[in-house]
Amino acid sequence: MTTVVAMSVAGNSGETVDVSVVIPVHNCRPYLDRCLTSALVQRVRKEIIVVDDGSTDGGSELLDLYAAYHPSTVRVIHIAGSGGAGRPRNVGLDHATGRYVFFCDADDHLGPEALARMVAMADRNDSDIVLGKIVGHGRRAPASMFQHNAERLTLADSNVYNSLSCFKLFRRDMVERHGIRFAEDMLVGEDIMFTAHAYCHAGVISVVADYDCYHLVSRPDGSSIMQQDGSRDPVAWLSMIRRPIRLMARHVEPGPLRDHLLRRHFRLDAFTQLGTVLLESDEVRRKEIAQEVADLCDEWLTPGVLARLNTIDKQRVASLGDVERLVRLARIEGATVRRRLTALRWDGDHLVVTGTAGLEGIRRDDGVALVLRARNDPRSELILPAERHGAEFTARVDAASLASGVWDLRVAVELEGVIRHGRLGADRENGVTRPLPRLVGGVVTLPYFTRDNGNLSIDVGGHLVAVPGTVRLIRTRWSLGYRFLVDGEVSVVGTVPECEAVRRIVWRERETGRERAERVSPLPGGGFAARLPLGRFPPGTWDAYLELDLGGPPVRLRIETDPETVAGPLKWMGAALLRSVRPYATSGKGRLSTVVQRLTPRSIVKRILA
């Protein structure tokens, strides 16, 4: 059937189009208003090319109304129903004139600033592809590549290839130069073909992760292609995925980069069929799935790919000829990690963790361990073997072995070479409370339960958890040079810190936030002394803190005192100025502060007259 253009774009006032938004439509009338409105509000020079793929639900007429009301922006192209998204997307791409093209499904929608942010990222970095953060509404959305913004990435130094949907910003010149198009003979996977091909030619890839750019929506009636029965048939999927793999391999030579990309296809396309899908299949189907995966491995599983696989997938590769073991591995992978914290206490410098752990529905395991993982560096972890006492395990954490930072505790259960992890602490027996912090080798160690889920973590150095401590003055007096002499004592977590931990006294002006640091002399037994030149301070109200080094960021403790301990105010004349310094103990908690004033004769008269 000849393509019919229902309404043409009126040239966008002669301006260059930034983005061609291509929207394939087939019987999506309930979602069109939200989708088209989200495209119309984008603050970029745009054209919206809507390709009606034989809709019969009244959507065609609604699209023509949008084209009539927005003739300079919306173009509607009606084609005979093709049965898939590949042809309408290609038709839209053939009519696109923008510097970039963005593909949006009619049941999804864009965030209001999505295209502006992605175009800015692309223009700043000369990007060929920009990934905007995708969020799911009843549908699973990719997440690993959206942890933080990235200006300039390549396939080799990132995991962007994990996302093979076409909901991205593509440089149209790159797409046309390399003849990149959607497969029109595929009902499922046509976008994987397009995106994999585009990735192979992208010089610069960028990521916008700090804004919800694309909203992926599940249709309540289950009418989308990906929600139809058989759309993710495992054998059909494994057969389909060979096409994008072969396409990618035509453009990427054998070696580390190809192995990196192949790992994605094995991990997310092949081995996922050996999990829940396998468990839900009958015996005959299980054999077919295992054979399809085995054939895929025979063709593409190189030693480089195998080395990149995780433990359970390596176990699966070794078990492709043993369907019963594949089923056991799937059950192990799918089982809930059952864990409970039963006791938590200090034994010297060791935190003793006791609990129970196992896999739900599976009575045995090959061992339990405690895993401590650095929150800001997941690659840094400490594995501690646990002793078993009947149903319970006990592990001892040497606080001195932990580097400064926050460590999250997990329990690891091993069975048949597969290790399953679960955060520990949210489920705990009554009476299990947070142990008191402890100074270990001059470093403060603070076990705590997280605020959101109540899981057990250890803050080494006081990065997130407030360090309990007390600083108190025992004597103050004035000395020559208008210096304020103080003697005090400090304790941290109920003990005396090392002399090296006491750094300085910091005064902070209450209104401006300005700070002054003064030297302090630490004394054995937790004492300290300082000669504070308060007479040289600028006017203002200054609050006093003792700063300590306890193995993490500087710890500041308010200096406590009482009115009887604080020496009286001091006044003197100098350079036609009346200067005054009034140290005092604040009301309530009794903390050291001082008011510094400088008064001229004129200001004194004004005060009197006021």
Side-chain angles (χ1 to χ4, degrees):
M1 177 178 176
T2 304
T3 299
V4 177
V5 180
M7 196 64 64
S8 299
V9 175
N12 284 283
S13 303
E15 295 180 339
T16 300
V17 174
D18 288 325
V19 184
S20 299
V21 182
V22 175
I23 306 174
V25 175
H26 177 72
N27 291 344
C28 292
R29 195 185 192 289
Y31 309 95
L32 288 177
D33 284 319
R34 181 176 59 188
C35 177
L36 292 173
T37 300
S38 76
L40 284 166
V41 301
Q42 300 298 310
R43 301 188 61 141
V44 295
R45 294 186 297 268
K46 60 189 175 291
E47 60 180 5
I48 301 171
I49 303 172
V50 189
V51 182
D52 174 30
D53 191 38
S55 294
T56 58
D57 65 345
S60 296
E61 293 77 10
L62 179 61
L63 293 175
D64 290 343
L65 281 176
Y66 268 92
Y69 277 100
H70 304 279
S72 64
T73 306
V74 178
R75 177 188 304 177
V76 177
I77 303 170
H78 298 279
I79 65 174
S82 66
R87 173 156 173 72
R89 285 181 182 143
N90 284 340
V91 169
L93 188 54
D94 290 341
H95 287 80
T97 64
R99 296 188 297 127
Y100 303 100
V101 61
F102 188 94
F103 300 98
C104 178
D105 278 358
D107 45 5
D108 300 331
H109 59 279
L110 293 160
E113 301 175 21
L115 295 184
R117 289 178 180 242
M118 286 191 279
V119 167
M121 176 72 83
D123 287 347
R124 188 164 62 245
N125 296 286
D126 198 25
S127 311
D128 291 312
I129 301 176
V130 179
L131 287 74
K133 184 179 180 182
I134 301 174
V135 291
H137 303 274
R139 293 180 63 183
R140 187 174 179 179
S144 64
M145 66 293 303
F146 296 121
Q147 300 305 305
H148 52 77
N149 284 359
E151 299 280 330
R152 301 176 67 86
L153 295 172
T154 66
L155 286 180
D157 62 10
S158 70
N159 59 357
V160 294
Y161 192 76
N162 284 356
S163 173
L164 287 177
S165 71
C166 64
F167 311 128
K168 300 170 177 62
L169 190 76
F170 298 91
R171 185 176 295 278
R172 193 171 67 85
D173 175 72
M174 176 198 69
V175 171
E176 295 300 333
R177 188 167 65 252
H178 297 286
I180 302 170
R181 288 294 186 271
F182 292 88
E184 297 187 9
D185 59 342
M186 300 172 68
L187 292 181
V188 175
E190 80 292 334
D191 56 339
I192 296 178
M193 291 287 290
F194 180 94
T195 308
H197 194 181
Y199 273 137
C200 291
H201 295 290
V204 176
I205 303 167
S206 304
V207 177
V208 174
D210 60 354
Y211 183 78
D212 295 345
C213 293
Y214 193 83
H215 295 264
L216 194 66
V217 179
S218 173
R219 298 192 199 177
D221 59 3
S223 58
S224 72
I225 291 177
M226 292 307 297
Q227 292 175 274
Q228 297 297 309
D229 291 338
S231 65
R232 290 302 293 264
D233 174 80
V235 174
W237 184 268
L238 290 165
S239 177
M240 177 277 296
I241 206 63
R242 285 174 165 79
R243 287 181 61 177
I245 290 176
R246 288 168 184 157
L247 184 150
M248 177 274 291
R250 287 199 299 269
H251 294 88
V252 180
E253 296 181 354
L257 176 56
R258 184 193 281 189
D259 290 340
H260 174 61
L261 304 183
L262 283 170
R263 173 184 176 271
R264 179 257 184 246
H265 288 294
F266 277 105
R267 188 169 63 89
L268 300 182
D269 295 319
F271 296 140
T272 53
Q273 313 306 324
L274 299 177
T276 303
V277 173
L278 191 74
L279 293 178
E280 293 174 349
S281 301
D282 59 33
E283 186 175 347
V284 173
R285 199 62 165 165
R286 288 172 178 176
K287 291 179 180 179
E288 292 175 346
I289 294 170
Q291 186 59 54
E292 286 288 335
V293 175
D295 291 345
L296 201 62
C297 289
D298 288 342
E299 186 174 3
W300 296 109
L301 187 67
T302 67
V305 176
L306 184 62
R308 288 169 166 80
L309 298 180
N310 60 24
T311 302
I312 190 167
D313 287 339
K314 288 179 179 178
Q315 294 286 335
R316 284 171 167 148
V317 170
S319 305
L320 288 172
D322 185 349
V323 176
E324 289 185 3
R325 183 154 195 267
L326 289 175
V327 170
R328 292 200 306 273
L329 291 173
R331 286 178 177 149
I332 293 169
E333 182 188 43
T336 301
V337 180
R338 174 178 42 80
R339 66 273 188 198
R340 183 175 178 83
L341 184 64
T342 59
L344 191 61
R345 62 182 176 85
W346 284 107
D347 181 13
D349 293 340
H350 288 76
L351 184 66
V352 181
V353 181
T354 303
T356 59
L359 299 177
E360 192 72 42
I362 301 175
R363 294 186 176 183
R364 64 185 183 87
D365 61 66
D366 296 332
V368 174
L370 194 65
V371 179
L372 284 75
R373 185 172 298 166
R375 185 173 299 177
N376 293 329
D377 183 11
R379 297 169 298 178
S380 178
E381 67 177 23
L382 184 65
I383 301 175
L384 304 175
E387 297 180 0
R388 301 296 287 268
H389 308 282
E392 282 193 329
F393 71 87
T394 298
R396 297 170 60 86
V397 181
D398 182 1
S401 67
L402 301 179
S404 181
V406 178
W407 295 81
D408 296 321
L409 277 70
R410 289 171 168 78
V411 65
V413 181
E414 182 175 2
L415 179 59
E416 292 201 36
V418 179
I419 300 175
R420 298 291 314 285
H421 293 87
R423 282 286 267 126
L424 182 65
D427 182 13
R428 54 185 182 270
E429 288 191 358
N430 294 333
V432 176
T433 58
R434 180 177 74 174
L436 294 174
R438 184 156 295 201
L439 277 179
V440 179
V443 178
V444 64
T445 303
L446 304 104
Y448 73 101
F449 295 109
T450 60
R451 183 177 301 177
D452 49 357
N453 296 313
N455 289 314
L456 178 60
S457 296
I458 302 175
D459 186 344
V460 180
H463 294 261
L464 295 179
V465 181
V467 178
T470 302
V471 182
R472 186 159 188 85
L473 297 185
I474 56 177
R475 187 169 63 143
T476 67
R477 61 233 181 253
W478 289 103
S479 178
L480 295 177
Y482 312 110
R483 290 182 176 271
F484 190 59
L485 276 57
V486 300
D487 298 304
E489 54 190 13
V490 56
S491 68
V492 176
V493 299
T495 189
V496 173
E498 298 177 357
C499 288
E500 294 78 6
V502 181
R503 297 184 59 188
R504 57 186 184 172
I505 289 179
V506 177
W507 293 86
R508 190 172 191 275
E509 206 284 315
R510 195 174 294 173
E511 184 174 341
T512 65
R514 180 182 176 185
E515 292 186 352
R516 290 178 63 102
E518 305 295 340
R519 294 178 59 186
V520 63
S521 300
L523 303 172
F528 67 89
R531 302 178 76 246
L532 307 172
L534 298 188
R536 301 177 186 173
F537 280 25
T541 301
W542 299 81
D543 300 321
Y545 300 81
L546 184 67
E547 189 173 273
L548 303 160
D549 180 1
L550 298 174
V555 175
R556 289 184 179 180
L557 301 176
R558 265 306 243 131
I559 299 177
E560 300 177 5
T561 187
D562 54 67
E564 292 75 20
T565 303
V566 179
L570 191 66
K571 299 180 180 181
W572 71 97
M573 289 295 298
L577 293 173
L578 175 62
R579 302 169 186 258
S580 71
V581 180
R582 182 174 63 86
Y584 69 98
T586 61
S587 60
K589 295 184 178 180
R591 292 168 170 174
L592 178 63
S593 297
T594 187
V595 175
V596 179
Q597 293 179 315
R598 294 181 182 177
L599 302 176
T600 65
R602 178 178 295 180
S603 63
I604 293 173
V605 171
K606 284 185 177 180
R607 284 196 171 195
I608 294 173
L609 293 177

